[in-house]
Amino acid sequence: MSEVSPRSIEEAATWLAELGPDERVRIVGAGTNQRGCPPAARILSTRGFDWVDLRAGDLTVAVGAGVLLSELQSLLATAGLRLAIDPVADGTIGGVVATGSHGALVWRYGTIRDLVIGATLVLADGTVAHSGGHVIKNVAGYDLAKLVCGAYGRLALIAEVVLRVHALPACEGGVVAVVAPRELTGVLEHLRRARLEAVAMDWVSTSGELLVVFEGTSEGVASQARRLCELLASDGLHPRRVEAAALAQLRAERADVRAPATGVVLRVANRASRLLTWLTTIGRRDGVSVGVYPGAGLADLVAAGRDVETLLELGRSAQAAGGQCQLRLLRDEVTCELRELEQSPARWLLERVAAGLDPGGRFV
Amino acid sequence: MAEGYTGAVGGEQALRTFAAFARRACGPETVIDDLLERQAYSCDGLTAHRAVPGLVFVPRTSDELITGVRELIRLGVPFVARGAGTGLSGGALPETDGVVVVLARLTRILEVDPISQLAIVEPGVVNATLSAAVRDHGLYFVPDPSSQVACTIGGNVAENSGGAHCFKYGFTTNHILGVEVLTPTGDLVMLGGESMDVPGPDLRGVFIGSEGTLGIAVRIVCRLMTLPLAHRTMVAYFADVVAAGDAVTHLIRAGIVPAAIEMMDRGAMAACEAATGAGLSLAWEAALLVELDGTTEEVQAGLDQVRACVSAAGAGEVWVASTEAERDRMWRARKAAFAAAGRVAPAYIVQDGVIPRTALARVLESIRSIGREAGLTILNVFHAGDGNLHPLVTYDPNEPGAYERAERAASDIVRVCLSEGGSLTGEHGVGIDKVCMMPEQFTSDDLATFWRLRRAVDPAGLANPGKLLPTPRLCGERPGRYVTHPLESLGVASRW
């Protein structure tokens, strides 16, 4: 299959404008979270969109869609800055936006949709559209940058995004404790009542450990971690403090759980209280690991092998409890039954919007 | 490419049909057709634009809202949703042949879930009421526009409102998990959900800030944040507005993230002080109000850093609030600014523009020049951390030509913002006020794309037509500013 990799927005726009009416296009970045490609589609790689325009004083950065998140983070770090998301796998910035990526920092900073403040899009007919820009506050026009978050390239080509960046924290540290699913609600209550400002919470079924991360001054991090340890100990748990140096290892272990080399990840989203109640009902399942961002109401059900029957059953029970499901990190084509879990109540409206922006259904 | 809608609308007969339907289906008290009563809805906070709506519909329940709006859609009658009417861009300006749908009676907080840190509310819930209702759970709703004691959460969603404390925590869009929307085709759809992320394109993010053009919020899922353990608030005074602008840049570069950084110039301080007696020193040209929040340790360390930063930038005097009462006084002064401007001049235009923060000092200098050249006093009070300016261009309406000069000056200020890569509006919205300036910020392709999105959601063009996106008809035949006739003031004559 022929692949094009335009070096500029204009080049991409011209290429799209000149395509025949029946030609289909699949947009690809680094292929991290890519769905199977329809056989007849042309491939448009974003890797030629490789520019970065950092405005450190404004805490904004304009990034070509083909830049890797890891490359961007390295560059930002030299200026004492970061993009405040920590997805479990690398990928292009365009891919991060198109798949709505995030990690445990979702609790404090939200997902990529909360950090995107501008976008340059190329529509299927080659029209170039901008929204937002290098200002963090802006309500002029429709927020097209949000529209393409999580759209998997269906609505438009993301050529460039402007992102809000944050200063790297002076210090970070955490608390780890083995916590049963039924005890997670109690931890959330402790954090709220003690008014502790955790930036990340992450529980994985493989170890049964909850990791809570704090950021700020060394005194502030230490006092919050100490207080949380006291509260968890009062519940009979056995928390331990984690210094900054040890956090990287913990995060890497958790990334391995959430993003296995093979298999399927089913994301479940539900109101936090309902998600945690549902979690207590599912028990341990062979071949399926679970990673939960408890306060955020998000769980990843990870089937490392090709047997997806259990995943299907869990997905259906999550839906029955009010949750929404989405397949992520697809390494292989999966069964139709699993795809049926991806029912969005807004699908009909999305189809209307897609028909407005891409009436010929070019982007697939 | 001609934009806009060409579809026919309902007309007088359709309005009468709707009135009869609403009285029957929702009750007689949901319909306002008396001329004098309708006049009360002829404008929002932007009083320079007025139009008397053909009819006003005031549902008491969401079922009545849905029933009524579906009938409007069936009849092809344009509708304009309205919350508390505090908007400053004319977003709730009625259509004379349409219906204003007032959401102010839909005031129920339907559910509070402290574990999930969310509340589900009807659109007419007042912003400050929600924070008060969840305070006992140690939670609050972050967006805090200056009008928060009156403005509604539905209005905040429509405008993607900001507020003083959004610098650290984000704007309305960052604090709304989901919205159930009654679309302009009469369908109910949940956009977003009740978690921090839901699958699919972020239509919720597009709806928030769409100024009532993509439908009406029926139910809103608000994210709540933990009340900070501690606050420290200070006012730093500067001999020069530009120096205060520089101080903001220094603060940001130092990696400090205050909960709020607000700026006032001398004129604004004088007005606020006269209105509130808060204790602001009037010996200086500019002041920064900086608030830190978080744990006690974080706040104390941050305060030391801020003091060092503002001193390095030339702060002449620093007032640190030592009690909650002092902090309240500082905020009362800042939040009174728009109302207090009335003490300085009989009339003023509130401008709302955004610039990249690093351009702050340069833009403030330009605003000073614009005021000087126009012979008008411009008060500056704004969210400095966000680069969101609110210059108050004062004028005397009795002076011939003064309003026109003020309007020109206000537009020139926005053009300065745009020339710096900024935006027409940071939180007040485009509404009717800036609709004809949209081509100055966006290309024709950008606007055509916005239209494609809008038509996909509202094919008949019924939801708040004439707002947000320019049309040749709208911007070519825009009516002049509303001026009260002396006989109207005396109550002896009515224009309509």
Side-chain angles (χ1 to χ4, degrees):
Chain A
M1 188 55 58
S2 66
E3 176 174 316
V4 296
S5 183
R7 307 286 307 171
S8 68
I9 294 167
E10 296 71 26
E11 199 183 320
T14 304
W15 184 79
L16 282 165
E18 290 175 352
L19 284 180
D22 297 327
E23 292 194 83
R24 302 285 171 264
V25 174
R26 166 58 63 90
I27 302 163
V28 300
T32 314
N33 193 2
Q34 195 79 48
R35 306 208 156 196
C37 183
R42 308 279 298 268
I43 305 292
L44 193 164
S45 165
T46 61
R47 297 307 299 275
F49 301 151
D50 58 358
W51 56 87
V52 177
D53 172 14
L54 172 61
R55 307 202 184 166
D58 292 318
L59 296 182
T60 63
V61 63
V63 195
V67 175
L68 287 176
L69 174 63
S70 55
E71 292 170 353
L72 178 67
Q73 295 287 33
S74 300
L75 186 135
L76 292 172
T78 61
L81 300 170
R82 67 170 169 175
L83 180 64
I85 61 165
D86 54 348
V88 292
D90 198 10
T92 60
I93 288 298
V96 164
V97 174
T99 61
S101 287
H102 62 82
L105 283 175
V106 63
W107 181 238
R108 166 63 184 87
Y109 296 99
T111 75
I112 191 69
R113 58 90 60 193
D114 293 289
L115 301 170
V116 177
I117 55 174
T120 302
L121 310 178
V122 188
L123 304 190
D125 60 6
T127 301
V128 177
H130 311 81
S131 82
H134 282 275
V135 286
I136 62 170
K137 195 174 191 183
N138 185 356
V139 295
Y142 294 125
D143 196 342
L144 300 180
K146 299 272 190 297
L147 181 64
V148 292
C149 287
Y152 279 82
R154 173 64 191 89
L155 300 176
L157 167 67
I158 302 164
E160 178 187 289
V161 290
V162 185
L163 302 163
R164 181 180 187 175
V165 297
H166 289 80
L168 278 167
C171 178
E172 60 177 348
V175 171
V176 163
V178 174
V179 177
R182 67 175 187 287
E183 294 166 325
L184 285 169
T185 300
V187 178
L188 291 182
E189 288 204 79
H190 278 315
L191 287 165
R192 175 171 54 84
R193 289 196 176 132
R195 299 189 192 178
L196 301 180
E197 297 188 344
V199 295
M201 285 182 273
D202 185 5
W203 180 87
V204 286
S205 64
T206 44
S207 62
E209 284 186 338
L210 174 70
L211 168 65
V212 180
V213 181
F214 299 100
E215 291 177 349
T217 62
S218 56
E219 299 85 356
V221 168
S223 82
Q224 294 202 81
R226 199 165 46 238
R227 181 76 185 121
L228 180 59
C229 283
E230 289 165 6
L231 291 166
L232 296 182
S234 72
D235 285 345
L237 300 171
H238 303 286
R240 66 175 200 277
R241 297 260 301 272
V242 181
E243 300 305 322
L247 278 175
Q249 177 62 29
L250 278 175
R251 285 175 174 144
E253 289 167 11
R254 281 154 193 269
D256 287 343
V257 174
R258 287 177 182 270
T262 60
V264 181
V265 178
L266 183 70
R267 158 62 58 87
V268 175
N270 200 350
R271 184 194 294 205
S273 57
R274 289 184 189 147
L275 183 90
L276 297 180
T277 301
W278 169 78
L279 195 64
T280 62
T281 67
I282 63 173
R284 278 190 169 275
R285 302 300 181 99
D286 287 342
V288 175
S289 310
V290 183
V292 182
Y293 301 128
L298 300 168
D300 289 332
L301 310 178
V302 184
R306 293 183 67 87
D307 174 16
V308 292
E309 286 305 309
T310 311
L311 218 47
L312 190 60
E313 181 209 329
L314 290 174
R316 285 179 178 149
S317 88
Q319 285 179 331
Q324 292 189 56
C325 295
Q326 186 184 31
L327 294 164
R328 300 180 75 88
L329 283 172
L330 296 177
R331 295 293 197 280
D332 309 295
E333 275 307 279
V334 295
T335 63
C336 292
E337 287 86 351
L338 265 184
R339 285 210 174 280
E340 281 167 16
L341 291 172
E342 295 188 297
Q343 291 297 327
S344 161
R347 177 167 289 185
W348 63 270
L349 186 57
L350 290 169
E351 282 169 4
R352 262 194 221 169
V353 170
L357 298 181
D358 177 11
R362 169 160 291 158
F363 292 130
V364 292
Chain B
M1 181 176 171
E3 301 296 356
Y5 294 102
T6 53
V9 293
E12 279 291 318
Q13 179 57 42
L15 285 177
R16 279 195 294 275
T17 305
F18 174 75
F21 170 85
R23 284 196 175 95
R24 196 172 60 248
C26 306
E29 58 275 50
T30 63
V31 177
I32 296 174
D33 58 0
D34 175 76
L35 175 64
L36 282 174
E37 287 185 63
R38 276 187 285 136
Q39 282 177 2
Y41 297 90
S42 62
C43 67
D44 58 14
L46 184 74
T47 57
H49 295 272
R50 291 175 193 239
V52 177
L55 204 72
V56 180
F57 175 51
V58 196
R60 296 159 302 183
T61 66
S62 52
D63 283 347
E64 289 177 357
L65 167 67
I66 293 162
T67 303
V69 172
R70 282 181 174 159
E71 180 66 3
L72 289 173
I73 293 164
R74 194 186 69 77
L75 294 167
V77 175
F79 54 90
V80 177
R82 176 186 168 110
T86 56
L88 293 169
S89 59
L93 181 75
E95 295 287 312
T96 52
D97 58 354
V99 172
V100 168
V101 179
V102 180
L103 305 169
R105 283 183 181 168
L106 302 180
T107 56
R108 287 186 304 159
I109 295 174
L110 301 168
E111 191 180 352
V112 176
D113 180 345
I115 300 292
S116 309
Q117 295 196 196
L118 63 79
I120 302 179
V121 303
E122 291 185 331
V125 170
V126 169
N127 175 296
T129 303
L130 175 59
S131 283
V134 299
R135 193 178 173 80
D136 286 348
H137 294 293
L139 298 169
Y140 74 121
F141 183 57
V142 167
D144 62 338
S146 295
S147 56
Q148 72 182 127
V149 296
C151 66
T152 63
I153 291 174
N156 298 162
V157 168
E159 303 295 322
N160 188 14
S161 302
H165 288 84
C166 288
F167 174 59
K168 180 172 178 183
Y169 297 108
F171 312 97
T172 297
T173 190
N174 306 109
H175 296 277
I176 299 297
L177 299 175
V179 191
E180 188 175 33
V181 175
L182 180 60
T183 71
T185 48
D187 301 288
L188 271 177
V189 63
M190 187 69 190
L191 306 180
E194 298 183 351
S195 57
M196 291 285 289
D197 188 25
V198 294
D202 185 21
L203 284 175
R204 156 195 50 154
V206 178
F207 181 80
I208 297 168
S210 63
E211 305 190 15
T213 63
L214 302 181
I216 297 176
V218 175
R219 211 163 50 96
I220 302 164
V221 185
C222 302
R223 186 182 189 213
L224 305 172
M225 300 289 280
T226 311
L227 280 165
L229 266 178
H231 290 98
R232 288 309 294 273
T233 310
M234 63 186 282
V235 177
Y237 296 98
F238 295 83
D240 184 63
V241 174
V242 174
D246 281 337
V248 175
T249 303
H250 287 310
L251 277 172
I252 305 293
R253 285 211 173 119
I256 304 168
V257 188
I261 315 178
E262 300 288 294
M263 186 159 157
M264 289 183 272
D265 67 5
R266 185 192 175 84
M269 281 194 285
C272 293
E273 184 58 25
T276 64
L280 295 174
S281 167
L282 301 182
W284 302 92
E285 287 298 317
L288 285 182
L289 189 161
V290 183
E291 179 158 286
L292 296 141
D293 70 10
T295 62
T296 315
E297 293 85 356
E298 295 292 341
V299 166
Q300 189 52 51
L303 187 70
D304 295 342
Q305 277 183 293
V306 172
R307 288 189 86 128
C309 257
V310 296
S311 295
E317 188 183 323
V318 175
W319 171 26
V320 179
S322 50
T323 63
E324 194 60 21
E326 253 184 298
R327 173 180 174 241
D328 283 349
R329 276 187 0 234
M330 289 174 175
W331 277 113
R332 216 168 44 244
R334 163 58 188 91
K335 294 205 171 187
F338 289 2
R343 292 172 177 261
V344 174
Y348 59 91
I349 294 172
V350 182
Q351 190 48 284
D352 168 43
V354 196
I355 51 168
R357 272 178 303 236
T358 43
L360 197 53
R362 198 164 51 238
V363 171
L364 289 174
E365 190 54 51
S366 297
I367 293 174
R368 199 143 61 179
S369 302
I370 290 168
R372 216 169 24 235
E373 281 165 26
L376 298 168
T377 301
I378 300 178
L379 310 181
N380 282 297
V381 49
F382 53 87
H383 311 305
D386 308 325
N388 186 191
L389 311 180
H390 289 313
L392 305 170
V393 184
T394 65
Y395 66 97
D396 180 352
N398 296 317
E399 186 191 324
Y403 172 76
E404 287 72 19
R405 270 188 294 137
E407 204 175 39
R408 257 196 317 275
S411 297
D412 287 346
I413 291 170
V414 169
R415 291 193 177 99
V416 169
C417 295
L418 292 179
S419 72
E420 293 283 354
S423 172
L424 283 174
T425 168
E427 57 185 3
H428 294 176
V430 173
I432 194 74
D433 190 33
K434 289 181 175 167
V435 69
C436 295
M437 289 189 85
M438 286 288 276
E440 298 189 40
Q441 180 171 341
F442 295 101
T443 67
S444 56
D445 277 352
D446 298 340
L447 294 171
T449 305
F450 291 155
W451 273 117
R452 286 162 77 166
L453 175 65
R454 183 164 176 175
R455 274 194 293 256
V457 180
D458 182 13
L462 296 178
N464 214 2
K467 312 292 166 52
L468 204 147
L469 295 179
T471 61
R473 184 184 70 82
L474 185 74
C475 296
E477 304 167 15
R478 197 172 172 200
R481 171 179 170 262
Y482 173 86
V483 179
T484 312
H485 191 279
L487 289 177
E488 286 181 273
S489 305
L490 293 169
V492 296
S494 167
R495 190 171 304 219
W496 296 281

